């Protein structure tokens, strides 16, 4: 995901940003519970610096509410379960809220069996996969989350959009060190990076995108009308995207590949994305204090490796994000200007006055 | 993994290759059960064309038996379990045999709970991770397998060996189509590809290897004395390698990162690698016939995508391997000459006459 670090933008406190999101959701007919969970997901994602997937997404989600593709009065339903698993039909309820509750179900199953899997169908865009993995890590479990996405990525040998960017995320608690967490698209980069390069008039590396002939291109302006994203590491990213498609889509009963309708396009059809959440209860398998000491040992060994001449530090997966998160608590969040523009548009959409929160720049 | 397709080498039937491996293992003190499972793992891996991880590995494994690092009289032990999981101490028993039985335990747990996880410590080199994932797929479960490996790969910011190539594999059954399966190192390429380029006197792409300063190099001759492999897709492969390290090493009680002793070096210490096996029982979650039809649909959709001008077909993960496997049944296996040289050396090690099986070339 794009961790934009632009210096223009607006500084806002976590509390004010959260209150703004809650009010926009109330005005859109969401109940307090769904709005609260969704605000937690989006604001925390901004705090970690993943601005492409934070509050910037709320305008689009609430457009889907107004168009009826997300139903603010719906509640997901358990449609199947066993000792270690649950299958959920989201009924187009607010996806981040559905996803938080689904990961909680996976955690409950894991606390009984050691492992828990929850599959969700009938859902839509859930934001950053990493948030849900971290819900498990916060409770001292290992968490994994993934989802299938409308097609935008090619595969080796093809010259068209075949699969989505199908993200995969995990989070693992440590002791004195911060949880290790990763949240990646299985494409070389997320589409947002292509759009950003296009907006800046820059060319892109030749492993991000192919044109309509399937030939790598450095011109970001082709996409999304033409071309397709490339999987990370060729056949390896392709293979992992297929695994995510199977665990999120095939096994859950959700739409698969080309059946998934984009949540950003103005179409009437259900998005019908699928999600997969997995939790592992460490404490059943090893004393938690031992596991955490072993995690700290691994983390410290990696961080203390000899560095290249241009590296000040070696970062663990998630470490940069935790530092941004901590800074956001003490120093507020510096929202990039594209996020601010988006939130101003959202305010207009729902009839809020955002001029004091986001004063005009310049 | 390196799918060598050299045309020099020896053609041998599956039966003869299996019998040769069994006899070599008998002469090394392995019991029939362990020898049979190990022969299945290694010969099937050759049948799928993954010659780097097939019978070529047997000489090294039996050297470990002679040196005492693998104990042919040991049997793994269950040291902990819960509803959906088992922890195993391998006691340095033959790793492919331990791994087959451990995946079977994961399958048994999954048949009760829906999911099963088995963690193994005190083990050594288990060959190709993909074989164990396919054990689950053969029984209509989804299988995943992974293991941690002695350090040979750098991470972003480091200029040294920090993690292993930590492979991850999965396999998923389909209906009329073949199972989808993937078996990848989390490095850009496995070390064997670097060795092969070095032997051919060729340079390598600049995303395979760094030198001792952490600078990408195209000279394969540096490795393994100097330098380190690069993770696939930069921080993404790094993050996935850490996940494999956690699920195979941290959670199981096995050695972690630099504590793992190479199984190929002539050192007395336990290797103490860890493995992780995960199984998901599809039939509990969705009628198997529906799941398989959905898999066939996904497979056919991918295969029928518009192709690039230079692509004859679009392959699913594992499809090339299944075609090689089928050809091996009808046409025998064409072992590359490096594998033949290795098997000749093995025959010498254990006092077998291999001259009729592998007549001198030329």
């Amino acid at each position: 995901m794009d961790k934009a670090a632009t210096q223009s933008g607006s500084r806002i406190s976590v509390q004010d940003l959260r209150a703004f999101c809650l009010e926009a959701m109330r005005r859109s007919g969401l109940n307090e519970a769904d709005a609260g969970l969704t605000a937690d997901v989006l604001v925390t994602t901004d705090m970690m610096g993943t601005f492409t997937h934070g509050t910037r997404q709320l305008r689009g989600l609430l457009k889907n509410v107004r168009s009826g593709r997300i139903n603010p009065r719906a509640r997901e339903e358990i449609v199947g379960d066993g000792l270690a698993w649950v299958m959920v039909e989201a009924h187009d309820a607010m996806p981040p809220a559905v996803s938080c509750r689904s990961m909680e179900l996976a955690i409950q199953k894991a606390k009984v069996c050691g492992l828990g899997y929850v599959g969700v169908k009938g859902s839509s865009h859930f934001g950053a996969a990493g948030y849900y993995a971290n819900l498990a890590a916060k409770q001292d479990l290992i968490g994994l989350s993934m989802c299938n996405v409308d097609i935008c990525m090619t595969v080796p040998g093809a010259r068209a959009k075949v699969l989505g960017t199908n993200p995969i995320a995990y989070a693992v608690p440590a002791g004195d060190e911060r949880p290790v967490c990763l949240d990646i698209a299985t494409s070389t980069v997320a589409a947002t990076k292509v759009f950003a390069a296009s907006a800046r008039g820059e060319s892109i590396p030749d492993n991000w995108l192919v044109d309509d002939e399937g030939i790598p291109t450095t011109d970001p302006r082709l996409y999304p009308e033409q071309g397709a994203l490339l999987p990370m590491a060729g056949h390896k990213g392709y293979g992992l995207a297929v695994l995510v498609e199977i665990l999120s889509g095939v096994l859950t009963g959700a739409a698969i590949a080309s059946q998934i309708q984009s949540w950003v396009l103005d179409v009437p059809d259900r998005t019908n994305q699928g999600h997969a959440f997995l939790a592992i209860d460490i404490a059943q398998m090893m004393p938690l204090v031992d596991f955490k000491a072993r995690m700290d040992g691994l983390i410290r060994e990696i961080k203390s490796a000899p560095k290249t001449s241009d590296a000040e530090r070696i970062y663990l997966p998630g470490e940069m994000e935790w530092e941004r998160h901590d800074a956001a608590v003490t120093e507020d969040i510096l929202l990039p200007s594209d996020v601010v523009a988006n939130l101003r548009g959202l305010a207009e959409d729902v009839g809020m006055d955002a001029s004091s929160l986001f004063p005009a720049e310049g």
Side-chain angles (χ1 to χ4, degrees), chain A residues 53-71:
Chain A
H53 284 65
T55 57
R56 192 186 197 290
Q57 308 272 4
L58 188 55
R59 188 180 190 191
L61 286 167
L62 295 182
K63 271 187 185 163
N64 275 264
V65 169
R66 280 194 301 282
S67 74
R69 297 179 79 197
I70 290 178
N71 179 354

Side-chain angles (χ1 to χ4, degrees), chain A residues 319-354:
Chain A
E319 189 176 3
M320 285 183 197
E321 287 80 358
W322 287 122
E323 292 189 0
R324 294 192 196 107
H325 179 275
D326 294 349
V329 175
T330 54
E331 299 161 27
D332 298 345
I333 307 176
L334 182 64
L335 291 178
S337 42
D338 67 307
V339 178
V340 174
N342 216 287
L343 294 175
R344 282 205 193 98
L346 166 60
E348 209 173 293
D349 289 348
V350 299
M352 286 168 69
D353 178 8

